[in-house]
Amino acid sequence: MADLIADTPLMERELIGDGFQVRESSRWDLLRLQVFHRDPEQLQALAGRIGRSMPVNGEVVIDDATIFWNAPGDWLIGVEAGQGGDVLRQLRDNLQGLLVVIEEVTDSRVVMELSGSSLRRVLARGSSLDFDPAVFSGRRCASTRFAGVSAMLATLDQGDSDRFVLLACRSLADYLYQWFEEASVDVR
């Protein structure tokens, strides 16, 4: 039997220019946690069992994991690559008895790291979100239509950094890469 070789969605392609860069990131394993009863008691029990409160409405929390608010009662959790299975088992054990679903979604997502002085201008071409640093900065995230497809955009730095991550379905990686090539031609 032939050996299987794992490929990343973009096969390590990078788009690099003076004012805009796109790189695929494989630094995280991703987990999705959903809570179906979002009353205060359930959320308090969740926080107690995992040792932290979860981010709310558009927040990103970073400590030993990076937790993105996805929707009410729905979060994406980024942990160090290779640790997803262990963290998943630990969370399942800790959350037993609560009405939650937790699953690993690493293989279904692409994570793109975006940066550069023209980044916010390029992002504005693909979404109606306000990317002004006064509005979208300091560990924020938003799930939105971007370049015609569903995606999450997030800033992970404190302050008004020109660095974002984009998380989307893996099957859209090539389309998004090509979209960024076209949308950034004048700023690279």
Side-chain angles (χ1 to χ4, degrees), residues 38-67:
R38 295 185 301 269
D39 59 74
E41 290 176 9
Q42 177 85 348
L43 294 176
Q44 188 174 9
L46 174 68
R49 299 235 190 133
I50 63 172
R52 71 168 63 98
S53 59
M54 300 301 281
V56 296
N57 197 15
E59 291 180 339
V60 177
V61 172
I62 301 174
D63 49 35
D64 57 334
T66 301
I67 306 173

Side-chain angles (χ1 to χ4, degrees), residues 144-182:
T144 187
R145 300 282 302 166
F146 181 80
V149 299
S150 296
M152 175 185 286
L153 289 156
T155 59
L156 303 181
D157 297 326
Q158 295 287 14
D160 62 351
S161 170
D162 286 328
R163 294 183 343 144
F164 278 68
V165 293
L166 181 145
L167 298 95
C169 289
R170 178 185 177 101
S171 62
L172 299 171
D174 191 56
Y175 163 76
L176 287 166
Y177 183 87
Q178 290 177 29
W179 185 91
F180 280 121
E181 277 185 317
E182 293 296 321

Side-chain angles (χ1 to χ4, degrees), residues 55-129:
V56 296
N57 197 15
E59 291 180 339
V60 177
V61 172
I62 301 174
D63 49 35
D64 57 334
T66 301
I67 306 173
F68 302 89
W69 180 87
N70 199 34
D74 189 345
W75 300 272
L76 283 178
I77 303 170
V79 298
E80 184 180 334
Q83 301 299 310
D86 293 337
V87 173
L88 178 64
R89 283 186 288 283
Q90 181 182 10
L91 284 171
R92 283 186 174 156
D93 289 346
N94 291 347
L95 300 176
Q96 208 157 30
L98 295 179
L99 187 54
V100 301
V101 172
I102 185 157
E103 59 190 340
E104 188 165 2
V105 296
T106 305
D107 292 337
S108 69
R109 300 285 195 273
V110 63
V111 179
M112 296 177 170
E113 295 179 346
L114 315 170
S115 61
S117 59
S118 299
L119 171 64
R120 291 174 186 270
R121 189 170 49 163
V122 173
L123 291 175
R125 295 172 181 172
S127 175
S128 61
L129 288 176

Side-chain angles (χ1 to χ4, degrees), residues 9-71:
L10 292 175
M11 296 176 282
E12 301 183 21
R13 284 183 292 171
E14 295 180 343
L15 182 60
I16 300 176
D18 291 336
F20 182 73
Q21 295 88 38
V22 176
R23 289 184 175 89
E24 181 179 9
S25 174
S26 56
R27 67 178 169 151
W28 287 324
D29 283 350
L30 296 170
L31 308 173
R32 184 174 182 191
L33 172 62
Q34 295 174 288
V35 177
F36 293 101
H37 293 293
R38 295 185 301 269
D39 59 74
E41 290 176 9
Q42 177 85 348
L43 294 176
Q44 188 174 9
L46 174 68
R49 299 235 190 133
I50 63 172
R52 71 168 63 98
S53 59
M54 300 301 281
V56 296
N57 197 15
E59 291 180 339
V60 177
V61 172
I62 301 174
D63 49 35
D64 57 334
T66 301
I67 306 173
F68 302 89
W69 180 87
N70 199 34

